[in-house]
Amino acid sequence: MGIKEGLSELWDDLMSYRTLKVVKISDKRLAYVHKTLMAAILCYALISVIGAHTYMLKEKPRVYMSTTINDTVRDLSVTDATTLEQLYCNSSFANFVGDSLVPEGAYLNNKCVTYIPSSQIVETNDAATFVATHIRSRAFTRWCENNVTKVGCSIKYNPDENQFPLDPDNLILQFRPRFVTSWGYNGYPSEVIVYDSAFTAFKTFLTTNTNSTEKYPIMYLHEVLRLAGIGLDDRNELDVSTSFSAEFPIYRLTGVRLSVELTFSNFRPMSHFKPFDFTPQATMSIQLNSKGSFVTSLDTVHFSGRAEDISESGTIMEYRGVQLEYGAKGLMGKADPYTAMMAIMSCFIMVSVATTVVDIIGAFIYDSFKDDKIEDDGERQHLEHMILNLETVGVPFGHDDLQILPNVSMKEFLQLLQRDIVKLNALAHHMSRDLAAAGLNQHTMSIQQTSKQAGGMKYKCRLIAPDRTDIYLTGGPQTIGRGHGGCDSKRISHKQLSIVANIQTGVALVKGLHTKNVSGVALAGGAWQTLGPNDEAELEAGDMITLLLDQNEDETSADGVFIYVVEKLEELQNKSWFSF
C-alpha cells in the first residue's frame, strides 16, 4: 500500500460514524432485572440530588463572634477570701524554680484580689475572648545620675506580686455567632446546639424563644470549662523533671486554651427528612487545647511616671487565664444551576450501569449473547456486498467471492496460474534458444533450417506507442523510456527497457534495465507481470509492454503501454496498390 492509498483509507475511516448495535432479547428475567435496577438507580439518584443537596454550591463560612460579659452574680464577698487564699496561695504547688522543664519559675505569695469592674480582667473581640485568672505584676523605677542628660541610668525592679482575681468562675458569657459567605449570605443561626467534649448535647438555644436568656448560648465560665472536661481548680499535669516532688498547679494558675468550634449548616441531613428546610443552624463544641503546659501570658506595661517622662516608673503585667478561640466548620449552600446540571448528568450516567449489569448476567445465561451483541464489521460488509450483487448482476456472488483456497478467490487463483504459465513459457523459450545455439535442440535447429530453405522469410517488427505512433525495430538492441511515444512521466527513466527484435522469426526479446521503478509485460493477453532488472521475456505479435507498473493488493495500474506488432513482408507486398 502506497502513502496515497494509506492516507485515503485513513481519511475514509475518520469521515465515518459507527453507531452502537441494539440487541433486543425477549426474556422476561432479563427485563425484570433491568427494570428493577433502573428503578433502584433512579430512586438513588433522586435521593442524592434532593436528599443530599448535590444541586447546591457549598462552602465553609467565616464566623464572627459577639461575646457579652455579665458579672452580676459573681461572688464578691470578702468573707470567702480566707478560703480562697488557702486554696490558691499554697506555695507548695507554685514553686518550680530549678526545674529545667518548667521555665516559668515560681509563683509565690499569691493573693486574692477583687477586680471591679470585670472589664479589668476581660478582653474580647470577634475571634477570641480572654478572662484573666492569675496576674503577675512587677513594678519598676528608673534612676539616673543626671536626669537632664539621662546619663548613668539603671532600672530597679520591685519583688513580683502574684494575684488571683476573686470568683471569675461565675462570669456570665453570652455568645452570638454570626456567619458570612462569599456570595453575601450572612446572619445569625436560628438554632444553636451546644455539645460537650464527649459530643453529648448540653442545651439548645432558639432565636424564636420568648425568654431572652434562651435565644443565644449563655453560660457561666465554669460551665464553659466543664463542657471542655476541666475546671479552674483541676490539676494541670505538666511535664516536669524526675526530681520534682511538689503538687501540680491548677488551671487557675497555668491558664487554659479552649477551642470553640461552630459548625454551620443551612440544609438538613437525609436522616431528618427535611430536604427543603433551609433555616440556618449551628452546633457549638468546646475542646481543650493546652493540657500539660503553661499558657503564654498576655503582657502589658503600665507607666505611672511624670507627664514629661512616662518611662520613669511603671508596672509590667502578665495575665494568664481562660482563652476562648472561635473557629468555623461545616458548609453553607445555595442552589446553583451549574452544580445542579452536573448532578443531573451524573444521574444519567449512572442509569447506564443497569444495562452493564444486565449484559454481564446475559453473558452467563446465553451462549450466543456476546455474538449477538458485538457485531462483526467484516461479515456485515460481506453481506452488504452480496445484496449489491443481487441488485446489479442478479447473483449474490462475484468472482472475488468464490474461493478455491482459504482467503484466495477464483480470480486471484487464475491470476496466479497465468503468472506461472508465463514464467514457464519464458523459461522454455530461453532454454530453447540457448540449446539451439549449443547445437543440442534439434527441433529448433530443424525449424531454422526449414526457414532458410524456404528462402529466409523476414518480418517487419514495430511497437505501437501510447500516442499511436510507430517505433520500428530493426533487429539491433533498442532502448525504450521517457520521451518515446509521448511518455513524459518523471518516474520513467530515459532507458527503462531494452528490446531486440528478430526479423527472421518475428520474435522480440525484451529485458528490464536497472531503474528505480519496475516495468511489466502482458503476454498472450494475460495479466501484467513484473519485469525487473535483468528479467527477460519474449514478445510475440499482440503482446504488450509497459514502462511503469504499480501493483498492490487492491488494483494494478500501468503507464506507457506499447503493443508489439509483427507483419510478414509477403503480406505487406500483397497489400500494395501495385499488387494484383
Side-chain angles (χ1 to χ4, degrees):
M1 180 185 294
I3 298 177
K4 182 178 180 181
E5 291 79 6
L7 293 176
S8 177
E9 183 176 349
L10 178 61
W11 175 259
D12 294 339
D13 187 67
L14 291 175
M15 292 297 104
S16 62
Y17 168 72
R18 295 185 179 182
T19 184
L20 298 176
K21 182 179 180 180
V22 178
V23 180
K24 184 177 181 180
I25 299 177
S26 298
D27 189 282
K28 293 183 179 180
R29 296 172 297 175
L30 293 180
Y32 288 150
V33 172
H34 185 253
K35 298 303 185 292
T36 302
L37 289 175
M38 289 277 289
I41 292 174
L42 288 175
C43 291
Y44 172 78
L46 184 64
I47 293 174
S48 64
V49 172
I50 298 178
H53 303 89
T54 57
Y55 61 91
M56 300 181 72
L57 180 64
K58 304 171 185 177
E59 71 171 30
K60 185 180 76 171
R62 299 186 302 274
V63 61
Y64 297 93
M65 183 72 79
S66 175
T67 307
T68 304
I69 306 297
N70 188 342
D71 58 356
T72 56
V73 295
R74 283 181 64 194
D75 186 4
L76 302 178
S77 175
V78 182
T79 57
D80 294 337
T82 304
T83 304
L84 294 175
E85 287 180 0
Q86 293 176 354
L87 180 62
Y88 305 152
C89 305
N90 189 346
S91 61
S92 63
F93 59 86
N95 186 5
F96 291 88
V97 174
D99 196 299
S100 59
L101 298 178
V102 185
E104 282 77 6
Y107 294 89
L108 306 177
N109 302 320
N110 293 283
K111 298 180 181 179
C112 294
V113 180
T114 301
Y115 284 90
I116 300 175
S118 60
S119 59
Q120 294 179 338
I121 60 172
V122 175
E123 181 180 345
T124 182
N125 54 49
D126 56 8
T129 297
F130 176 78
V131 179
T133 58
H134 182 269
I135 302 173
R136 168 184 279 183
S137 60
R138 180 182 299 174
F140 67 89
T141 57
R142 189 186 65 187
W143 178 84
C144 297
E145 295 179 355
N146 190 333
N147 290 327
V148 178
T149 59
K150 307 299 182 183
V151 176
C153 297
S154 62
I155 297 177
K156 179 183 179 181
Y157 291 96
N158 296 333
D160 295 340
E161 293 186 6
N162 296 301
Q163 302 171 348
F164 285 105
L166 282 175
D167 199 20
D169 312 54
N170 288 321
L171 282 173
I172 301 174
L173 290 79
Q174 186 181 51
F175 306 98
R176 295 186 64 183
R178 182 170 176 263
F179 59 86
V180 178
T181 63
S182 62
W183 63 80
Y185 183 47
N186 62 86
Y188 299 94
S190 60
E191 179 184 24
V192 179
I193 305 174
V194 180
Y195 290 88
D196 60 10
S197 59
F199 297 99
T200 302
F202 169 70
K203 196 171 184 179
T204 301
F205 299 89
L206 299 171
T207 56
T208 58
N209 201 315
T210 57
N211 188 351
S212 60
T213 60
E214 301 292 335
K215 290 185 175 182
Y216 301 100
I218 181 171
M219 291 170 284
Y220 290 102
L221 182 60
H222 66 84
E223 289 180 330
V224 175
L225 294 167
R226 189 52 56 190
L227 290 175
I230 63 168
L232 287 178
D233 296 328
D234 293 342
R235 301 293 178 180
N236 189 357
E237 298 181 358
L238 306 175
D239 292 330
V240 294
S241 60
T242 56
S243 60
F244 179 77
S245 60
E247 297 185 52
F248 290 116
I250 56 179
Y251 282 102
R252 196 181 299 270
L253 173 64
T254 65
V256 61
R257 290 177 58 246
L258 302 179
S259 176
V260 181
E261 297 287 349
L262 290 119
T263 304
F264 294 95
S265 176
N266 64 338
F267 51 88
R268 304 294 181 267
M270 288 189 292
S271 59
H272 290 186
F273 299 102
K274 294 180 179 180
F276 302 106
D277 186 358
F278 304 111
T279 304
Q281 65 177 2
T283 59
M284 187 172 73
S285 61
I286 303 174
Q287 301 291 329
L288 174 63
N289 290 339
S290 61
K291 185 176 182 180
S293 64
F294 275 86
V295 174
T296 303
S297 62
L298 300 179
D299 300 340
T300 60
V301 179
H302 299 278
F303 295 103
S304 58
R306 295 170 298 175
E308 64 272 14
D309 188 4
I310 61 172
S311 63
E312 184 180 59
S313 61
T315 304
I316 301 175
M317 307 292 292
E318 297 179 1
Y319 298 89
R320 277 196 175 88
V322 179
Q323 176 82 5
L324 303 177
E325 299 172 345
Y326 308 124
K329 295 173 63 178
L331 295 172
M332 303 291 285
K334 72 167 184 176
D336 180 66
Y338 178 77
T339 306
M341 181 183 67
M342 296 301 295
I344 294 173
M345 290 298 297
S346 300
C347 296
F348 286 147
I349 294 173
M350 291 177 60
V351 171
S352 62
V353 175
T355 304
T356 303
V357 174
V358 175
D359 286 349
I360 297 174
I361 297 174
F364 287 98
I365 296 178
Y366 298 101
D367 296 334
S368 62
F369 183 83
K370 184 177 181 181
D371 296 333
D372 294 337
K373 181 175 176 59
I374 301 177
E375 182 181 51
D376 185 1
D377 292 338
E379 181 181 358
R380 182 180 182 87
Q381 292 178 1
H382 182 69
L383 294 175
E384 291 177 351
H385 179 66
M386 293 176 62
I387 295 173
L388 180 62
N389 288 333
L390 284 172
E391 295 176 351
T392 54
V393 299
V395 292
F397 301 104
H399 295 292
D400 296 334
D401 301 325
L402 300 176
Q403 296 182 356
I404 295 179
L405 297 175
N407 299 324
V408 179
S409 66
M410 179 180 291
K411 181 179 179 180
E412 293 174 347
F413 182 79
L414 291 176
Q415 290 177 350
L416 292 174
L417 183 60
Q418 289 176 349
R419 293 172 186 173
D420 292 340
I421 292 173
V422 170
K423 290 180 180 179
L424 292 174
N425 185 35
L427 182 60
H429 278 286
H430 284 294
M431 291 180 64
S432 177
R433 182 188 62 194
D434 296 339
L435 291 174
L440 300 176
N441 191 341
Q442 299 297 329
H443 174 68
T444 305
M445 293 176 62
S446 63
I447 293 176
Q448 291 179 351
Q449 292 175 359
T450 304
S451 299
K452 292 179 179 179
Q453 293 175 1
M457 186 181 299
K458 295 183 178 181
Y459 292 86
K460 186 177 182 180
C461 304
R462 60 188 173 93
L463 292 175
I464 301 177
D467 59 356
R468 311 308 299 173
T469 60
D470 294 331
I471 300 176
Y472 290 94
L473 307 176
T474 59
Q478 292 179 249
T479 58
I480 305 296
R482 191 197 314 171
H484 293 88
C487 297
D488 298 325
S489 176
K490 293 184 178 181
R491 298 178 60 192
I492 302 175
S493 301
H494 290 283
K495 295 182 179 181
Q496 187 78 15
L497 296 172
S498 175
I499 184 168
V500 178
N502 190 338
I503 59 177
Q504 299 294 331
T505 61
V507 177
L509 180 66
V510 62
K511 179 180 180 181
L513 301 179
H514 289 276
T515 58
K516 181 172 62 175
N517 296 302
V518 179
S519 303
V521 294
L523 305 177
W528 287 105
Q529 304 295 325
T530 59
L531 189 66
N534 295 329
D535 289 344
E536 294 181 353
E538 291 188 351
L539 301 179
E540 296 180 353
D543 293 343
M544 294 182 292
I545 60 175
T546 179
L547 299 181
L548 186 63
L549 182 66
D550 288 332
Q551 287 183 317
N552 53 40
E553 296 178 357
D554 296 333
E555 61 182 6
T556 300
S557 62
D559 189 10
V561 178
F562 294 78
I563 303 175
Y564 180 62
V565 178
V566 180
E567 295 177 325
K568 290 182 180 181
L569 291 179
E570 294 179 355
E571 295 177 356
L572 292 175
Q573 292 175 358
N574 293 333
K575 292 179 182 179
S576 172
W577 291 97
F578 302 100
S579 298
F580 298 96

